Amino acid sequence: MTRKMKIAVFASGSGSNFGALAEACEKGELNAEIVLMVTNKPEAFVVERARKANIPIAAVRPKDYETKEAYEEVILAALRESEAEWLILAGYMRLVGQTLLKAYPSKIINIHPSLLPSFPGKDAIGQAMGHGVKVTGVTVHLVDEGMDTGPILAQRAVDVIDGDVEKTAEAIHAVEHELYKDALNKLFC
Ligand code: GAR
């Protein structure tokens, strides 16, 4: 096995993907160490999860800065300090700007709850169900300046459970937690 990759996980919400990645690192199922959790929402539940897992937190509010560059410069300083090598977006609901893209070329990965390029952006599961699709899924991709664009690394299909958003979302999250680990292990080997 190669050495463990140092990763920073970016999240804005509940952080179930963050939790799954942290557990996979802990159990040795992911060849990585989470050196920093970055959030734009200091009140998000993911902060609680990171605290419990003893993972350092950078909570940076975009509205405290005049520009996106200034916001990302603060994050970049924390990333450099933590020696993070890869940026792993896990429900980070902001577009990544040039400051981070230039500092981490081809080293920023995202997970999205649809079979991209269908249903990018917010509420992908609701969008898919609204269109009445029977199969949706999960995509892991490299991040570029677009919204859920960038080269696709891995995808897995998930059947829609007719009329049941909650159960469909549950099935999608379960697949996310497995697929992210598998896709990252392939990248890190
Ligand atoms: C996940 O479903 C993730 O794929 C999605 O946000 C959710 C976060 O859940 N990301 C996007 O929609 C990115 N456009 P979590 O906070 O429980 O990990």
Side-chain angles (χ1 to χ4, degrees), residues 69-184:
E69 290 72 31
Y71 162 71
E72 287 197 342
E73 282 296 344
V74 172
I75 294 174
L76 187 55
L79 290 168
R80 293 225 159 107
E81 171 116 23
S82 74
E83 298 182 355
E85 298 165 280
W86 291 83
L87 311 190
I88 309 301
L89 312 190
Y92 178 65
M93 303 310 268
R94 291 189 67 80
L95 282 179
V96 175
Q98 287 304 322
T99 304
L100 293 178
L101 285 168
K102 280 194 189 133
Y104 286 87
S106 299
K107 294 275 187 209
I108 311 180
I109 314 295
N110 184 39
I111 191 160
H112 184 75
S114 76
L115 293 175
L116 289 170
S118 293
F119 312 125
K122 285 188 183 150
D123 191 22
I125 301 171
Q127 290 185 55
M129 294 194 69
H131 275 78
V133 301
K134 301 298 175 202
V135 177
T136 180
V138 176
T139 302
V140 175
H141 66 94
L142 273 173
V143 172
D144 61 13
E145 57 285 339
M147 165 105 68
D148 300 318
T149 52
I152 290 170
L153 300 173
Q155 285 187 312
R156 209 166 279 172
V158 177
D159 284 337
V160 168
I161 301 163
D162 265 341
D164 198 331
V165 183
E166 236 168 69
K167 280 204 176 126
T168 303
E170 226 172 81
I172 286 177
H173 287 311
V175 169
E176 285 191 320
H177 300 165
E178 284 305 307
L179 187 67
Y180 220 177
K181 191 172 62 179
D182 294 353
L184 293 176

Side-chain angles (χ1 to χ4, degrees), residues 15-27:
S16 76
N17 279 283
F18 167 81
L21 291 171
E23 196 182 320
C25 290
E26 194 65 41
K27 289 183 174 165

